[in-house]
Amino acid sequence: MITHRKTVTAWLLLTPMIVMILGVSGYPLIKTIYFSMTGAKLVAPDLTDSWVWFHNYVRALSSANFREAIWHTTYFAVISVGAEVVIGVMVALLLNEVFVGRTLLRAMLILPLALPTVVNAMMWRLIYNPDFGALNALLVQLGMLDAYRSWLGDPATALDMVIIADVWKNFPLVALIALAALQTVPRDLYEAATLDGAGMWNRFWRITLPAIMGPLSVALVLRTIEAFKVFDIIYVMTRGGPASSTKTVSFYVYQEAFAYMRVGSGASYALIVVLISACLIAGYMYLIRKHGEA
Amino acid sequence: MQTSLAKKIAIYLGAALLALVIALPVLWLFIMSISSSTHLTTLPLEWWPDSPTLENYRSLLIYAENTPSQSFLYAIRNSIFIALAATGLSICAAIPAAYSFSRMPGPRRKNLLYAVIAIFMLPPVALVLPLYTVMSALGLLNTHFALIVVYCSILLPFATWLLKSNFDTIPGDLDEAPIIDGANRLQAIWYVILPIARPALGAAVMMSVLLSWDEFFYGLLFTNDIRSKTITVAIADLAAGRVADYGLISAAGILAAVPPVILAFFMQKTLVSGLASGSVKG
């Protein structure tokens, strides 16, 4: 009887959240699935309904542009998250040492993190500006570049320049998570290893990395999921251009649905993104179950 | 352990490099914001304005109709209002839910918790089309209400998850005792759990405010005039505008960054421990 009442209370306490989640996430998700199998247009989505089954998906997957957008997103995610993890770990190792100014440097890491994404994107856009940007001026004045370049205007460099801006904002997150993990590693472990003749490299691979692997892998998956959603930095810096060279899947869906007003096929693109994200989210769930239950 | 001289030099070089990498872009944004646009478009570029000016800030902060200040100040107001309302709404629903997840575990509720976390990670493009058509059918585009409701899809799962992992650290006896004495669950949450969890509650509130301040995608799609346009959308508009007043754009960026940066520095410790524990524990 008492356990029964407790169960009822447990569900009652969950009710406000469940109602809100179903309203703002559950219902829309199901409706998106429905849209994706119709030829709905944005002008009057319910009037233009026509059931097309999986036609939108087939078209999406056979579209070279969409496959290109998936490739750009994957490239963006792999390179930026990879760089964030490597730089983040190096910074964490640095900040784990004792030196003057360590606290200040740690506080400074908060700055890129707290800077709104849109402001970060705008800042880098100004820095990369082909005519008056600081990057051109700096490189030319240092003699490292002969003439001004259009960093974001060149399809060959645009995506990499966006990645640099993303890495600058997000490596501190990885660094702070890795640093928190590093500080739980006992110092005498290193001393013992040094006495046993282990070099710096060995100590890193045998002690440091295994110790921070849990939180680090979680940070890695989290950042990858975020990177797959990437939209605002692209929108502000390049709008997918030049020549689609920075068009990612989120931007592609946005264009298909809101610029070309094709809700149906936009929804099918969105769900392909969801499927990719779902695999990543599943990976994340696996990691928190494995590392979080201890 | 003895630190060798070479290692010391390497550490300080690394520290200096890191400080430069973090500080230079922001410092340049600040310098641009106190420069006139003619100064910024003079070649070759000079790194410090001969006559620093607060003119850019003044033209954003002193209200005048049909000037950048009008849309900017409205956008700040909209963002503050939307962030606070969405945070309030989400936290109110998240507290009892987190309590239920933490105190009354059962296999099905546990799966529900994972579903909630998964929703937090869903790309917004998966939800935006139906939300847009519903809002448009109800005539709610360009209202605060639309964004407040939609932001809950981001804030609520996040706040629930953060609070749940904190409630887990509070010993169960503390709230079971008053319940045995006849208090109900809500009283136990209000009088026992919340006072203890106040730091976590503060962190959840502040991080929710940061998340909604940073949101751009829904804001871009659901708003298009000063009634409801948020600060991130206003910044993107400025950056994309034909008029290349770099000084003004930079000042807008600095001003939009001030609230979240102050908030983040203020809660540095909670932020870091929240990031670390929140990302490790489910």
Side-chain angles (χ1 to χ4, degrees):
Chain A
M1 194 59 205
I2 286 176
T3 48
H4 173 69
R5 254 196 62 190
K6 207 170 162 180
T7 313
V8 173
T9 320
W11 285 104
L12 275 179
L13 289 171
L14 282 175
T15 310
M17 186 206 69
I18 293 177
V19 170
M20 281 167 72
I21 294 264
L22 284 181
V24 290
S25 303
Y27 162 79
L29 188 59
I30 290 167
K31 193 77 193 265
T32 303
I33 298 174
Y34 166 78
F35 275 155
S36 75
M37 299 193 192
T38 71
K41 301 278 193 303
L42 192 60
V43 203
D46 295 316
L47 294 179
T48 52
D49 279 2
S50 57
W51 198 252
V52 297
W53 289 105
F54 292 98
H55 175 74
N56 287 330
Y57 291 92
V58 175
R59 236 192 41 178
L61 291 174
S62 58
S63 148
N65 290 337
F66 183 63
R67 284 204 308 260
E68 197 195 27
I70 292 187
W71 161 243
H72 289 154
T73 313
T74 311
Y75 180 83
F76 177 89
V78 171
I79 305 288
S80 64
V81 175
E84 278 154 28
V85 168
V86 172
I87 298 174
V89 169
M90 280 168 29
V91 169
L93 288 173
L94 175 71
L95 290 178
N96 202 35
E97 300 290 335
V98 183
F99 63 91
V100 184
R102 179 166 77 140
T103 323
L104 176 72
L105 212 49
R106 223 183 117 146
M108 276 175 74
L109 281 177
I110 304 283
L111 190 62
L113 268 184
L115 208 66
T117 312
V118 169
V119 173
N120 177 51
M122 184 206 79
M123 177 178 85
W124 285 97
R125 198 180 131 141
L126 292 177
I127 291 173
Y128 293 151
N129 183 292
D131 306 314
F132 308 110
L135 182 62
N136 276 322
L138 182 72
L139 292 181
V140 168
Q141 285 178 21
L142 288 178
M144 293 164 74
L145 197 70
D146 299 331
Y148 278 22
R149 287 187 59 177
S150 179
W151 301 100
L152 292 173
D154 180 352
T157 52
L159 192 53
D160 291 324
M161 298 318 275
V162 175
I163 288 176
I164 291 176
D166 186 69
V167 171
W168 183 85
K169 176 166 164 56
N170 289 311
F171 83 85
L173 178 80
V174 181
L176 288 170
I177 290 176
L179 182 61
L182 274 180
Q183 286 172 344
T184 63
V185 185
R187 286 252 158 201
D188 37 332
L189 217 56
Y190 289 104
E191 281 168 34
T194 316
L195 286 178
D196 289 345
M200 215 172 80
W201 198 240
N202 247 323
R203 290 199 299 265
F204 175 76
W205 284 104
R206 304 261 164 116
I207 305 174
T208 312
L209 206 58
I212 63 174
M213 210 49 211
L216 199 63
S217 54
V218 171
L220 185 133
V221 183
L222 260 184
R223 282 296 315 139
T224 312
I225 292 170
E226 286 292 312
F228 256 90
K229 298 196 243 184
V230 63
F231 179 82
D232 21 16
I233 195 167
I234 302 280
Y235 181 92
V236 174
M237 288 184 77
T238 62
R239 300 239 174 157
S244 302
S245 60
T246 59
K247 207 180 268 182
T248 58
V249 274
S250 282
F251 196 85
Y252 201 83
V253 176
Y254 158 79
Q255 263 193 335
E256 183 75 6
F258 290 96
Y260 308 132
M261 305 205 171
R262 293 192 284 260
V263 171
S265 67
S268 71
Y269 293 145
L271 285 169
I272 295 173
V273 183
V274 171
L275 271 179
I276 299 174
S277 304
C279 298
L280 295 170
I281 294 171
Y284 181 75
M285 294 296 168
Y286 171 76
L287 287 174
I288 50 174
R289 272 177 209 238
K290 203 172 131 200
H291 294 290
E293 302 297 322
Chain B
M1 248 193 291
Q2 274 295 339
T3 318
S4 68
L5 186 66
K7 192 179 170 190
K8 245 187 185 152
I9 292 173
I11 287 174
Y12 279 100
L13 279 180
L17 181 69
L18 179 62
L20 280 179
V21 165
I22 297 177
L24 281 185
V26 185
L27 190 64
W28 179 238
L29 187 69
F30 175 72
I31 293 176
M32 281 193 286
S33 78
I34 54 167
S35 306
S36 67
S37 61
T38 40
H39 175 84
L40 287 172
T41 50
T42 312
L43 292 174
L45 186 61
E46 284 165 33
W47 298 98
W48 184 254
D50 355 292
S51 49
T53 167
L54 291 177
E55 193 45 48
N56 294 317
Y57 289 96
R58 202 170 297 135
S59 55
L60 285 172
L61 291 176
I62 295 173
Y63 182 87
E65 255 171 68
N66 298 320
T67 63
S69 73
Q70 190 185 24
S71 53
F72 186 79
L73 289 173
Y74 269 97
I76 293 269
R77 183 204 66 177
N78 294 334
S79 270
I80 291 176
F81 182 75
I82 291 168
L84 292 181
T87 299
L89 200 60
S90 302
I91 298 286
C92 284
I95 289 170
Y99 181 87
S100 179
F101 281 134
S102 167
R103 285 305 194 260
M104 304 161 163
R108 265 188 304 172
R109 269 190 303 281
K110 189 143 207 183
N111 287 334
L112 190 63
L113 178 67
Y114 286 119
V116 167
I117 301 175
I119 283 170
F120 174 61
M121 292 166 184
L122 267 186
V125 287
L127 312 174
V128 71
L129 291 166
L131 289 172
Y132 184 89
T133 53
V134 168
M135 295 300 175
S136 138
L138 297 175
L140 288 172
L141 292 180
N142 269 319
T143 62
H144 292 150
F145 181 77
L147 285 184
I148 292 168
V149 169
V150 169
Y151 284 9
C152 287
S153 71
I154 305 167
L155 305 189
L156 180 53
F158 171 76
T160 305
W161 177 22
L162 196 76
L163 288 175
K164 188 257 172 197
S165 27
N166 186 268
F167 289 176
D168 283 349
T169 65
I170 301 172
D173 305 347
L174 285 177
D175 51 302
E176 286 299 330
I179 285 167
I180 291 165
D181 291 343
N184 65 35
R185 290 280 164 187
L186 287 178
Q187 285 169 325
I189 297 176
W190 186 258
Y191 291 110
V192 182
I193 298 292
L194 287 189
I196 303 174
R198 202 182 290 155
L201 200 61
V205 166
M206 287 200 254
M207 289 178 89
S208 299
V209 170
L210 286 180
L211 275 177
S212 26
W213 192 267
D214 199 30
E215 207 287 330
F216 176 68
F217 189 66
Y218 291 121
L220 174 74
L221 293 171
F222 289 6
T223 67
N224 57 30
D225 65 31
I226 57 169
R227 277 177 296 161
S228 56
K229 199 179 269 187
T230 58
I231 187 65
T232 47
V233 182
I235 298 274
D237 284 355
L238 268 180
R242 298 225 169 263
V243 192
D245 192 338
Y246 304 131
L248 191 74
I249 300 172
S250 311
I254 295 276
L255 287 174
V258 165
V261 168
I262 288 180
L263 207 57
F265 273 106
F266 181 60
M267 56 175 282
Q268 219 188 103
K269 275 223 171 72
T270 2
L271 185 83
V272 174
S273 65
L275 289 173
S277 72
S279 65
V280 180
K281 285 204 229 151

